[in-house]
Amino acid sequence: MSGKETPGTGTVDTATKKVFVKTYGCQMNVYDSQRMTDALAADGYCATDVIEDADLVLLNTCHIREKAAEKVYSELGRIRQLKEERAKDGRETLIGVSGCVAQAEGREILRRAPAVDLVIGPQTYHRLPAVVKRARGGEKIVETEYAIEDKFAHLPHPEGRIVRSRGVTAFLTVQEGCDKFCTFCVVPYTRGAEVSRPVSQIVAEAERLAASGVREVTLLGQNVNAWHGEGVDGREWGLGELLFRLAEIPGIDRLRYTTSHPRDMDDALIAAHRDLDKLMPYLHLPVQAGSDRILKAMNRRHTAEEYLRLIERIRAARPDIAMSGDFIVGFPGETEEDFAETMRLVRAVGYAQAFSFKYSPRPGTPGADMADHVPEAVKGERLQRLQALLTEQQRDFARSLVGTEIDLLLEKPGREAGQLVGRSPWLQPVIVDDAAGRIGDIVKVRIARAGPNSLFADPVGEIGAPERAEATKGVYV
Ligand code: SAH
Ligand code: SF4
Ligand code: F3S
C-alpha cells in the first residue's frame, strides 16, 4: 500500500463515486432501481441526477415491446460518447445494463454495445456491488444466472433517511415472476417463475416504510394477486389476507396493488375490497382483448364474459371502484370483428384509466411464430379508435367527480408556486392550493374542475383542519 492510500482517504474516495440510474418499463423496475441504488449507497456510491457526473451509469431496462428494447441501444450509443468524453479528463465511467433486456439478451448486449462493462439480470441484484467492484478491475461481466439465494433477503434495506426523501408513497414488491405464459409476453422468460416473498419480510418492510413517513404503499408483482404464503396464523394466505395484515400497520393509511390477473382474483381479495377502507377503490385488471378467439390464442385462459362477470362481482363488493386495464390490438389473426368485440367490452366495462398497445412480436414467444400477423397500418388505425374511446371514458370519469368531496393524499409541490399535487383514491393527480395542508396529510377537498390529465380541487372546511382534528381528539381522550 502506498503512503497515500490510507484507509481514511480510501473511504473518502469511494464515497465520492456517483451512480446515475435510468429506469424503463414497469413499476417493478422502479422499485428495483431504488433497491439497487440503496445497495450501491451502502458501498459508497451516491445517486446523481446529472449523467455527466456519473462514475457508473446503470440502465434498468424493459423488454416488453420492441421499441422499449431498442431505446436501450440508442441510449447506450449516447452514453458511450459520454464515456469517451470523460476518459479525456482521466475519469473512468462504468456502463451497466440491468433489467429485462439484460436477462433476455445477456452477452449479446456486449456484442452490440462493446462499451458496456456489466450486464446483470433481475434475479441477481443483491450481487451488484460485488459485480461493480470486479468491473472496476477491468473485467467485463454478464451475470444472468438465476441465483438460488433470496435476493430480497440480501438486498440492504433502505435507511429511513433515504426513503423519507422519496416521499409519502412507496412501492413494495411482494411477488415476482410469472407462470402464465401468455403467448405474446416475454415476462416469464425475463423474470422467471412466480416467487412470493414471505409475510414477515413484507410486514417488516412496510413497517420501515411507515416509520419513515410513507402513508401509501402499492404492493407490486408481475402477477401480484398470485401472491401466496404462510400467514401468521399458520394458514395459507392469499393477497386478500396479506392486505388485511398490512392495514393493521399504524401510519399506513392507503394500500394499492398492481398488476393483477383476472384468474387470480379470489373471494378473499374481493372481500378485502368490500371490508378494507384502506384499500383504495381502484383496480388495474388487464384483459388484453374482447374476443374469445383471440383471448384463447393469447393463452389468457378466460373468456370475455367471465371477465365481465368478475367485474360485476367486484363492483357489487365495492361500488365506487374504478377499473383500469391493458389492451393489445393487432394480435396475430385479429380480424375487424375480433377488434369490434374489444370495443364492445370496453363500452361494457367503462374504464377510468387504461393502457393500450400495438402488438409487438417478441423473439422466443409463441405469438411471434403465429400466422396472420396484422399489418402495422391496421394496428395503428385500431389503436387510434381504441384510444379515442378510452380517453373519452377517462374524461367522463374525471368529469363525474366534479362537485364531489374526496380524500386527497398530498404528495409533492405542484409545478406552479403555491400548489400541491396529491392523488385521489382513484389514482388521478389532483392539484390544490398549498394552504390545503402539508405533504403527507390526507385532506378533504372538493373537485372544482377536470383537466385532461389532472383534477383541480379546493380545500373543504377550515384550512389546517387535519391537525386541529388531532388536537381535538387529544382533548377528549
Ligand atoms: N402481468 C400483467 C401484464 C404485464 S406486461 C398481465 O397479465 O396483464 C404489461 C402490459 O404490456 C400487458 O398487460 C400487455 O398489455 C402489454 N404487452 C405485453 N407484451 C406485449 C407485446 N408483445 N406487445 C404489445 N404489448 C404487450
Ligand atoms: Fe405476461 Fe401474461 Fe404473465 Fe402478465 S400474465 S406477465 S401478460 S405472461
Ligand atoms: Fe418491462 Fe420487464 Fe417490467 S419487460 S414491463 S421491465 S417485467
Side-chain angles (χ1 to χ4, degrees):
M1 196 193 257
S2 79
K4 277 185 190 165
E5 286 174 324
T6 60
T9 49
T11 317
V12 172
D13 262 344
T14 47
T16 55
K17 291 256 174 259
K18 289 187 179 146
V19 56
F20 176 92
V21 184
K22 182 157 183 178
T23 309
Y24 302 81
C26 62
Q27 291 104 326
M28 302 204 54
N29 266 10
V30 175
Y31 175 85
D32 288 343
S33 288
Q34 290 180 348
R35 298 300 298 272
M36 286 193 279
T37 310
D38 295 335
L40 290 167
D43 223 48
Y45 276 88
C46 64
T48 177
D49 292 334
V50 184
I51 192 166
E52 289 80 8
D53 289 349
D55 305 285
L56 168 61
V57 177
L58 191 60
L59 300 187
N60 196 13
T61 61
C62 174
H63 201 245
I64 204 83
R65 285 168 288 274
E66 193 183 351
K67 239 193 214 154
E70 285 307 313
K71 243 191 238 162
V72 173
Y73 286 103
S74 48
E75 185 68 19
L76 283 173
R78 279 194 290 275
I79 298 168
R80 180 179 51 92
Q81 284 172 0
L82 183 78
K83 183 175 181 153
E84 288 164 1
E85 287 300 312
R86 281 175 49 100
K88 285 183 199 156
D89 306 335
R91 293 182 296 170
E92 189 195 25
T93 314
L94 288 182
I95 305 179
V97 178
S98 61
C100 291
V101 176
Q103 189 63 43
E105 298 191 2
R107 201 156 287 281
E108 170 72 7
I109 297 174
L110 294 186
R111 199 189 59 74
R112 276 186 70 179
V116 170
D117 299 284
L118 64 101
V119 175
I120 185 164
Q123 317 305 328
T124 42
Y125 289 159
H126 55 294
R127 296 189 190 150
L128 182 64
V131 165
V132 168
K133 249 188 219 121
R134 279 165 57 204
R136 281 173 70 183
E139 215 182 313
K140 294 264 179 190
I141 302 162
V142 178
E143 182 89 45
T144 50
E145 293 297 311
Y146 284 6
I148 5 165
E149 65 271 17
D150 174 358
K151 75 164 173 189
F152 292 112
H154 288 81
L155 276 167
H157 288 293
E159 291 166 40
R161 175 176 52 82
I162 298 170
V163 177
R164 211 177 356 256
S165 69
R166 286 180 186 157
V168 294
T169 63
F171 292 137
L172 201 176
T173 294
V174 299
Q175 181 277 342
E176 199 170 11
C178 180
D179 299 338
K180 298 230 167 22
F181 291 92
C182 301
T183 51
F184 52 80
C185 183
V186 290
V187 171
Y189 311 96
T190 61
R191 293 279 174 165
E194 279 177 7
V195 179
S196 295
R197 288 178 73 186
V199 174
S200 56
Q201 238 187 49
I202 296 167
V203 170
E205 191 166 329
E207 282 173 344
R208 260 193 306 274
L209 290 170
S212 70
V214 168
R215 297 197 72 179
E216 176 179 299
V217 174
T218 303
L219 307 183
L220 298 181
Q222 268 95 21
N223 263 303
V224 71
N225 54 348
W227 178 91
H228 61 97
E230 190 182 317
V232 286
D233 54 6
R235 286 189 311 116
E236 178 75 359
W237 280 9
L239 191 68
E241 287 89 353
L242 179 67
L243 285 162
F244 274 96
R245 172 65 189 89
L246 294 174
E248 288 171 9
I249 298 175
I252 301 290
D253 295 305
R254 289 181 159 195
L255 289 164
R256 303 180 185 275
Y257 61 92
T258 198
T259 292
S260 36
H261 192 285
R263 280 181 64 91
D264 292 320
M265 284 305 296
D266 64 12
D267 291 342
L269 187 50
I270 297 177
H273 279 288
R274 185 190 58 214
D275 299 333
L276 262 186
D277 286 341
K278 289 186 179 181
L279 182 55
M280 290 296 100
Y282 177 92
L283 178 59
H284 185 63
L285 195 64
V287 63
Q288 316 297 354
S291 142
D292 288 343
R293 213 174 59 81
I294 295 297
L295 285 169
K296 192 156 194 279
M298 287 177 161
N299 193 31
R300 291 295 289 184
R301 294 186 289 160
H302 63 77
T303 62
E305 189 54 36
E306 281 162 350
Y307 178 81
L308 291 173
R309 272 208 302 268
L310 174 61
I311 292 182
E312 267 170 30
R313 280 169 57 216
I314 298 165
R315 281 188 167 144
R318 183 77 207 224
D320 65 341
I321 203 153
M323 294 304 305
S324 158
D326 288 346
F327 296 89
I328 295 177
V329 300
F331 186 76
E334 186 188 77
T335 61
E336 189 53 37
E337 177 49 29
D338 292 319
F339 176 68
E341 287 183 34
T342 299
M343 297 287 276
R344 269 201 286 280
L345 179 138
V346 170
R347 283 196 191 93
V349 173
Y351 287 91
Q353 160 88 292
F355 304 90
S356 45
F357 314 96
K358 287 193 269 184
Y359 171 68
S360 167
R362 306 307 290 130
T365 60
D369 297 327
M370 286 180 184
D372 300 326
H373 277 264
V374 175
E376 276 305 303
V378 176
K379 286 185 203 172
E381 187 268 331
R382 285 181 192 164
L383 186 68
Q384 259 185 19
R385 278 193 276 161
L386 176 60
Q387 288 187 338
L389 176 59
L390 290 167
T391 307
E392 190 186 309
Q393 292 191 338
Q394 186 177 344
R395 200 197 49 208
D396 288 350
F397 176 66
R399 283 186 184 160
S400 75
L401 295 172
V402 172
T404 64
E405 277 183 23
I406 67 161
D407 288 328
L408 183 65
L409 169 57
L410 299 175
E411 268 186 55
K412 56 184 179 198
R415 244 182 253 146
E416 284 169 37
Q419 287 182 338
L420 288 175
V421 183
R423 290 270 173 186
S424 77
W426 306 281
L427 212 55
Q428 300 136 301
V430 182
I431 297 162
V432 69
D433 191 288
D434 67 2
R438 292 173 311 191
I439 288 172
D441 288 343
I442 296 175
V443 293
K444 277 247 180 289
V445 297
R446 182 174 291 109
I447 304 299
R449 176 162 73 81
N453 299 308
S454 35
L455 298 166
F456 295 84
D458 299 320
V460 174
E462 259 181 288
I463 302 297
E467 282 78 27
R468 258 191 291 251
E470 281 301 314
T472 319
K473 226 190 277 165
V475 171
Y476 282 93
V477 167

